[in-house]
Amino acid sequence: MNSPISVSTLNTQIKSLLETTFINVYVEGEISNLTYHNSGHIYFSVKDDKSTISAVMFRGNAKYLKFQLEVGQKVVITGTITVYTPRGNYQLLCNKIEPSGQGALALAYEQLKAKLQAKGYFNDDIKKPLPKYPKKIALVTSPTGAAIEDMKKVASARWPLTEFILIPTLVQGETAKLDIVNSIKYADSLDVDLLVVGRGGGSIEDLWAFNEEIVANAIYECEKPIISAVGHEIDFLISDFVADVRAATPSNAIEIALPDINEHRIYMDNLTLDYQNRLKNLFLHKQNELDNMKKLFEQNSIKSKFNFIDEQISLLKQNYKNYLLNLINSNQNRINLLKESYETNHPDKKNIDGYAQISLNNKIISLEDLKINDEISLQTPKVIASCTINNIKKQ
């Protein structure tokens, strides 16, 4: 049986599922329960004849609204689905709101998007990879906008080794689309590694040149990788879908295009430290091998062998010396014992009044072993007397 999960975990999983599934939704409905909060956020509901969904537009997006929202008003909303985890409520997070039936540009945008998607312009399998370390980057943008300064600042701090080629381009107005197309084609002919095409933020009308079909065709036909960097993070243009990579802002495009020099410095420091440690360990290993070989050589050298033989000879000499010494000591001990025995049994030491040594056939014999008619000798240190046993009386 599976272990239960907490309510917070369940809400978090639901949040992750919804927010990754409904990243960019396009909804039409009628406004109800409208509240303009003092914070600048707008809270309301969007409904049709069968369903209602809560919606919110935060102050950052609300300031771009060109009209006042009213209850009962029918609108078209671009946004994402988000979940307020503490309560388990999901809602529509609005990025853009337009009056329904009045957003001609929005309708044109959706129609072109569907057309190009059907033609395969947005397919991931045709997206070209970005070079890891670009040497030259072409910037297709206005030379006077704030975007170019932001990109230069980010590039200088992030990876100053890359060369940038500015292609001055009109990015707003009726003729902007043609100028963007010409600039893309010209940049594609240069010796560059990739193109950044874009501009700073503005209204949908200001950004509309990047929603034109001829611009989409130019991006699609470009042989070099292109990063589309138009407007702010909330802006999604046709160029974003056709380009190989979409950047939220021009500054973000440079962050995507260039490696981070600080990360590489850390990597190089770690690489250097790792190299030093490996080299140190290698030298230590080789030194140990050399020491072992030196010891092995010394153990098997002629000198070592002679030393070994010399030690063996010295050991043999010492063993022989010890053997002789032990032999002499052993014999000396035997002599000493014989001497002590001799001295102990010397007749002079047995000269006691009333006592004599009994011998039979020149052998000392005990009195208890005598028999009648035995011819014996009674001996003291000074006298020997021959006797015959005539009688034996045992007590």
Side-chain angles (χ1 to χ4, degrees):
M1 182 176 179
N2 294 333
S3 299
I5 60 175
S6 66
V7 175
S8 297
T9 301
L10 178 60
N11 280 343
T12 300
Q13 291 177 355
I14 294 173
K15 175 182 176 69
S16 176
L17 177 64
L18 289 179
E19 292 184 357
T20 55
T21 302
F22 301 94
I23 298 175
N24 190 28
V25 297
Y26 195 58
V27 181
E28 183 179 35
E30 181 179 319
I31 294 177
S32 64
N33 302 320
L34 178 63
T35 301
Y36 274 85
H37 198 272
N38 293 335
S39 63
H41 307 325
I42 306 174
Y43 299 93
F44 58 97
S45 298
V46 182
K47 66 177 183 177
D48 57 20
D49 57 342
K50 295 180 180 179
S51 299
T52 300
I53 183 173
S54 298
V56 60
M57 177 174 257
F58 292 124
R59 180 178 57 189
N61 291 326
K63 64 182 180 181
Y64 293 107
L65 279 176
K66 301 300 182 181
F67 60 97
Q68 186 78 13
L69 297 182
E70 297 176 358
V71 174
Q73 188 179 50
K74 197 170 184 180
V75 294
V76 175
I77 300 172
T78 302
T80 59
I81 297 297
T82 184
V83 176
Y84 184 59
T85 307
R87 295 182 182 175
N89 295 335
Y90 76 92
Q91 58 187 353
L92 178 60
L93 178 62
C94 304
N95 296 328
K96 293 182 181 179
I97 302 177
E98 294 184 358
S100 180
Q102 300 177 21
L105 292 180
L107 179 59
Y109 170 89
E110 290 300 324
Q111 288 176 338
L112 179 59
K113 181 180 176 182
K115 177 182 177 181
L116 297 180
Q117 187 169 17
K119 292 173 66 175
Y121 276 35
F122 306 162
N123 293 352
D124 290 336
D125 56 357
I126 65 170
K127 303 295 184 183
K128 295 179 284 293
L130 301 182
K132 191 172 183 179
Y133 299 101
K135 296 180 180 179
K136 294 182 180 180
I137 297 178
L139 302 179
V140 178
T141 189
S142 170
T144 59
I148 186 65
E149 296 301 323
D150 292 340
M151 287 190 285
K152 287 166 59 177
K153 185 182 299 183
V154 173
S156 176
R158 191 171 179 84
W159 193 260
L161 301 177
T162 301
E163 178 184 349
F164 288 88
I165 300 175
L166 176 61
I167 312 298
T169 306
L170 291 175
V171 292
Q172 184 175 332
E174 288 297 324
T175 60
K177 58 185 179 182
L178 297 175
D179 203 35
I180 294 172
V181 170
N182 292 332
S183 294
I184 291 174
K185 291 180 178 179
Y186 173 68
D188 194 26
S189 67
L190 300 177
D191 181 23
V192 295
D193 297 307
L194 66 92
L195 284 66
V196 175
V197 179
R199 55 156 291 164
S203 66
I204 188 63
E205 291 80 9
D206 294 338
L207 306 178
W208 191 253
F210 295 92
N211 282 329
E212 296 287 355
E213 187 171 0
I214 59 172
V215 174
N217 290 335
I219 294 174
Y220 179 78
E221 294 168 0
C222 183
E223 296 182 358
K224 294 184 172 64
I226 292 182
I227 299 177
S228 174
V230 184
H232 299 290
E233 186 173 357
I234 60 173
D235 298 314
F236 282 83
L237 287 300
I238 295 297
S239 62
D240 294 336
F241 297 104
V242 182
D244 299 293
V245 176
R246 183 236 178 205
T249 63
S251 297
N252 180 238
I254 303 302
E255 292 175 348
I256 294 173
L258 298 181
D260 187 348
I261 193 171
N262 291 323
E263 290 181 358
H264 282 69
R265 285 169 177 162
I266 295 173
Y267 172 74
M268 290 301 296
D269 288 342
N270 291 334
L271 197 63
T272 301
L273 183 60
D274 182 62
Y275 172 77
Q276 291 174 345
N277 290 334
R278 287 174 180 266
L279 194 61
K280 180 179 178 181
N281 291 334
L282 178 62
F283 281 144
L284 183 60
H285 177 68
K286 294 300 181 183
Q287 184 63 49
N288 290 335
E289 286 186 346
L290 184 61
D291 292 342
N292 291 333
M293 291 180 65
K294 184 178 178 181
K295 291 178 181 178
L296 186 62
F297 175 76
E298 291 175 351
Q299 291 173 358
N300 293 277
S301 65
I302 299 298
K303 181 179 179 181
S304 176
K305 290 182 179 179
F306 275 117
N307 289 337
F308 177 74
I309 294 172
D310 188 56
E311 290 174 358
Q312 293 297 311
I313 292 173
S314 298
L315 183 60
L316 287 173
K317 287 180 178 180
Q318 185 64 40
N319 290 338
Y320 180 70
K321 182 178 178 180
N322 292 337
Y323 171 76
L324 288 179
L325 184 61
N326 290 333
L327 183 60
I328 291 171
N329 290 334
S330 176
N331 290 328
Q332 184 64 49
N333 290 334
R334 290 176 64 188
I335 291 172
N336 292 336
L337 289 174
L338 289 173
K339 183 179 178 181
E340 291 177 1
S341 177
Y342 173 77
E343 291 176 349
T344 301
N345 294 285
H346 194 279
D348 292 342
K349 293 186 178 182
K350 297 182 180 181
N351 187 13
I352 302 174
D353 293 340
Y355 287 90
Q357 180 178 282
I358 303 172
S359 298
L360 176 64
N361 297 327
N362 295 322
K363 292 182 180 180
I364 298 172
I365 190 171
S366 175
L367 182 62
E368 286 78 5
D369 295 330
L370 294 178
K371 299 177 183 178
I372 296 175
N373 296 324
D374 283 343
E375 294 180 358
I376 63 173
S377 297
L378 298 178
Q379 182 179 357
T380 67
K382 297 179 179 181
V383 178
I384 298 176
S386 297
C387 304
T388 301
I389 303 301
N390 293 321
N391 184 31
I392 297 175
K393 185 179 179 179
K394 295 184 179 180
Q395 296 180 356

